[in-house]
Amino acid sequence: MMHPKFDPQPTLEGVDICLRPLGPDDRTALFAAASDPAIWAGHPAKSRHERAVFDPYFDSLLASGGTLAVTERDGGRVIGCSRYYEAPDHPGSVSIGYTFLRRDHWGGGTNRAMKALMFAHAFAVVDEVWLHIDPSKIRSQRATAKLGAEHAYDGKLTMGGKSGVWQCWRITRAAWQARFAG
């Protein structure tokens, strides 16, 4: 169970994006965002752009109770999602992951803006946030390092139904504030 005072499905608004609880009516819009095969090329679930693979994935996101749809503030187009969850090896913790964005939002400030909103929400309750990355996801490792998270250790965990070795990254409230204050 995640930290008892933490709300895993807030609505968070930034300058260009909004994060809100994922709902059943988001299936078609999130599939449209996920339907580009290049999004999943560096991911273990390479065929998630196919409807037959996406639908069970979407169902698991809904069932998690911590998934947020990421939308453009102007127009409300769904551009991806991210999720709060408890780290399997840190009871009562808050973790962020299961994130993807449309390719037209890669390389700019969208991931940082999204994570800034999510970290700010988490750091109102906890002192550290965990991120878990499949060792094969180099792009995610680079993006996570740019946020100021540090690779703490590799651990044998079960994440998203997959057992294996995961990279365990963490960032503290103090490190986040030192890096991005002002």
Side-chain angles (χ1 to χ4, degrees), residues 12 30 39 67 99 114 139 143 145 147 152-153:
L12 307 171
L30 192 61
I39 290 172
T67 303
T99 303
M114 174 184 56
R139 186 175 66 239
L147 295 170
Y153 62 93

Side-chain angles (χ1 to χ4, degrees), residues 4-156:
K5 294 183 179 176
F6 183 71
D7 173 10
Q9 287 200 298
T11 296
L12 307 171
E13 295 189 23
V15 174
D16 296 319
I17 61 171
C18 179
L19 286 78
R20 59 167 175 73
L22 185 74
D25 293 343
D26 291 317
R27 184 181 300 268
T28 299
L30 192 61
F31 177 68
S35 64
D36 180 350
I39 290 172
W40 308 104
H43 192 279
K46 294 184 184 344
S47 57
R48 198 168 275 164
H49 65 282
E50 297 171 8
R51 193 65 190 232
V53 176
F54 175 82
D55 281 338
Y57 167 67
F58 183 85
D59 293 339
S60 72
L61 292 174
L62 276 181
S64 76
T67 303
L68 302 173
V70 182
T71 65
E72 293 173 329
R73 198 162 165 126
D74 291 338
R77 178 177 74 144
V78 175
I79 58 171
C81 69
S82 194
R83 179 174 145 195
Y84 287 115
Y85 63 96
E86 179 183 64
D89 54 343
H90 295 280
S93 66
V94 173
S95 299
I96 296 173
Y98 300 89
T99 303
F100 83 87
L101 292 169
R102 293 175 59 100
R103 280 196 306 147
D104 59 351
H105 283 273
W106 288 5
T110 303
N111 185 56
R112 183 179 178 280
M114 174 184 56
K115 294 294 184 356
L117 292 168
M118 293 180 79
F119 284 139
H121 177 69
F123 288 141
V125 176
V126 297
D127 291 324
E128 66 184 11
V129 172
W130 288 91
L131 302 102
H132 301 86
I133 305 172
D134 184 298
S136 69
K137 292 177 63 180
I138 304 301
R139 186 175 66 239
S140 294
Q141 294 168 35
R142 288 183 187 139
T144 300
K146 284 182 185 178
L147 295 170
E150 295 180 346
H151 179 203
Y153 62 93
D154 290 348
K156 187 164 174 74

